[in-house]
Amino acid sequence: PCQGAEGRPAILYALLSPSLEPH
Amino acid sequence: PEPFSGGPGVPELILQLLQLEPEEEQVRARILGCLQEPTKGRPDQPAPFGLLCRMADQTFISIVDWARRCMVFKELEVADQMTLLQNCWSELLVFDHVYRQIQHGKDASILLVTGQEVELSTVAAQAGSMLHSLVLRTQELVLQLHALQLDRQEFVCLKFLILFSLDVKFLNNHGLVKDAQEKANAALLDYTLCHYPHCGDKFQQLLLCLVEVRALSMQAKEYLYHKHLGNEMPRNNLLIEMLQAKQT
């Protein structure tokens, strides 16, 4: 349930989202 | 903690990595803040193991944040960033823990990212055999790197090498990653030759330690999987998500 398409880890994808600025 | 020491003989890549290195105090404060927030739907005080899982999740989030600020990594498309992190997430966590223990400098206890000390005798008495064996094996690597006099400059460079350790054939942007690998290897070699000339094979010995980091990370993943199968992991755990993600 916590994986997106193609076994992609959804939380990691969200953390790497370009819209999210690194601290 | 050691200051950000530059000076002659420190390659530019290592100087840049030192600048990117997060302050341990800031990481500690952020993670402590997160752990004090109540868990959604589970208002009760979480068990120690649940807290450790959240602590590890938050530590990994700090590592992702570091990676996103790293040169080369920040230039890559998200697909390549994910491939690199899926390859090395557990090694980065192990290496982060190992370096904290080297700075801690005490044989009889381990220092958590939150600043709490846990006596090894407590681990022996209260952790299961799998975790105890993992902690003891990790302490052996801590001793080995302490004897090698691993310093902060080498630590940041090795961390960068772990991040880019995947064979470029699995990535879209071969050129940029290959260039990063070559530059980081050259920087570490130059640095060790310049600062530890009496220890001619320090570069090779450090790279050998990364093999043990990889082996430890495999053991840690086996432990996590064991806990997952026993339904002992909290829901929406980031590390379990990483563990289950399709590997390259």
Side-chain angles (χ1 to χ4, degrees), chain A residues 2-3 6-13 15-18 20-23, chain B residues 61 64-65 68-69 73 78 81-82 85-86 236 238 241-242 244-246:
Chain A
C2 54
Q3 286 180 42
E6 301 165 1
R8 190 174 67 185
I11 306 175
L12 178 65
Y13 184 71
L15 289 172
L16 290 170
S17 165
L20 191 71
E21 283 294 315
H23 291 107
Chain B
I61 288 172
V64 173
D65 201 58
R68 292 188 72 207
R69 286 182 287 106
F73 188 89
V78 172
Q81 292 180 340
M82 291 193 68
L85 283 170
Q86 282 178 249
N236 298 322
L238 175 54
E241 188 186 274
M242 295 301 294
Q244 291 184 313
K246 199 166 117 184

Side-chain angles (χ1 to χ4, degrees), chain B residues 25 102 115 198 202 219 227 229:
Chain B
E25 289 298 323
I102 293 171
H198 54 284
K202 189 170 188 186
Q219 195 176 329
K227 290 298 225 183
L229 289 181

Side-chain angles (χ1 to χ4, degrees), chain B residues 6-35:
Chain B
V10 181
E12 184 61 30
L13 180 112
I14 294 182
L15 289 176
Q16 289 174 13
L17 288 171
L18 288 170
Q19 296 285 334
L20 290 173
E21 195 55 22
E23 290 283 348
E24 180 81 355
E25 289 298 323
Q26 285 179 7
V27 174
R28 179 175 300 169
R30 187 191 66 76
I31 293 180
L32 276 171
C34 289
L35 294 180

Side-chain angles (χ1 to χ4, degrees), chain B residues 21-223:
Chain B
E21 195 55 22
E23 290 283 348
E24 180 81 355
E25 289 298 323
Q26 285 179 7
V27 174
R28 179 175 300 169
R30 187 191 66 76
I31 293 180
L32 276 171
C34 289
L35 294 180
Q36 280 159 8
E37 286 171 15
T39 316
K40 279 180 192 166
R42 298 179 68 180
D44 297 333
Q45 183 73 20
F49 182 72
L51 263 181
L52 280 177
C53 292
R54 288 174 66 196
M55 201 183 293
D57 268 7
Q58 290 301 324
T59 307
F60 182 58
I61 288 172
S62 291
I63 288 171
V64 173
D65 201 58
W66 161 78
R68 292 188 72 207
R69 286 182 287 106
C70 267
M71 54 281 208
V72 181
F73 188 89
K74 66 182 177 187
E75 311 297 334
L76 297 171
E77 58 190 75
V78 172
D80 274 353
Q81 292 180 340
M82 291 193 68
T83 306
L84 286 173
L85 283 170
Q86 282 178 249
N87 170 61
C88 70
W89 64 273
S90 53
E91 288 163 79
L92 288 173
L93 275 169
V94 165
F95 198 50
D96 178 79
H97 172 82
V98 164
Y99 189 62
R100 186 167 300 107
Q101 307 322 307
I102 293 171
Q103 290 182 302
H104 180 46
K106 294 184 188 172
D107 293 345
S109 65
I110 53 174
L111 180 66
L112 304 180
V113 67
T114 48
Q116 292 153 297
E117 271 186 62
V118 182
E119 297 298 322
L120 285 181
S121 57
T122 308
V123 177
Q126 294 183 18
S129 62
M130 280 183 92
L131 182 58
H132 185 217
S133 141
L134 188 56
V135 168
L136 290 182
R137 186 172 171 184
T138 307
Q139 287 302 103
E140 283 173 26
L141 180 60
V142 171
L143 288 177
Q144 203 179 333
L145 283 166
H146 181 74
L148 263 179
Q149 295 179 287
L150 174 77
D151 65 28
R152 190 175 178 86
Q153 288 78 0
E154 292 157 344
F155 165 69
V156 295
C157 200
L158 286 167
K159 203 161 67 147
F160 189 76
L161 277 171
I162 293 174
L163 179 63
F164 287 100
S165 59
L166 187 66
D167 191 316
V168 295
K169 71 182 177 192
F170 296 110
L171 299 160
N172 296 324
N173 199 329
H174 297 190
L176 210 52
V177 175
K178 194 164 182 55
D179 189 49
Q181 290 168 345
E182 287 172 359
K183 281 188 176 148
N185 269 302
L188 186 63
L189 179 60
D190 287 350
Y191 178 82
T192 50
L193 287 176
C194 181
H195 290 264
Y196 299 90
H198 54 284
C199 179
D201 66 343
K202 189 170 188 186
F203 173 73
Q204 287 83 356
Q205 296 220 32
L206 289 174
L207 292 189
L208 276 177
C209 286
L210 291 191
V211 177
E212 179 61 7
V213 169
R214 180 114 195 153
L216 274 167
S217 78
M218 299 296 285
Q219 195 176 329
K221 285 194 281 192
E222 281 169 24
Y223 172 69

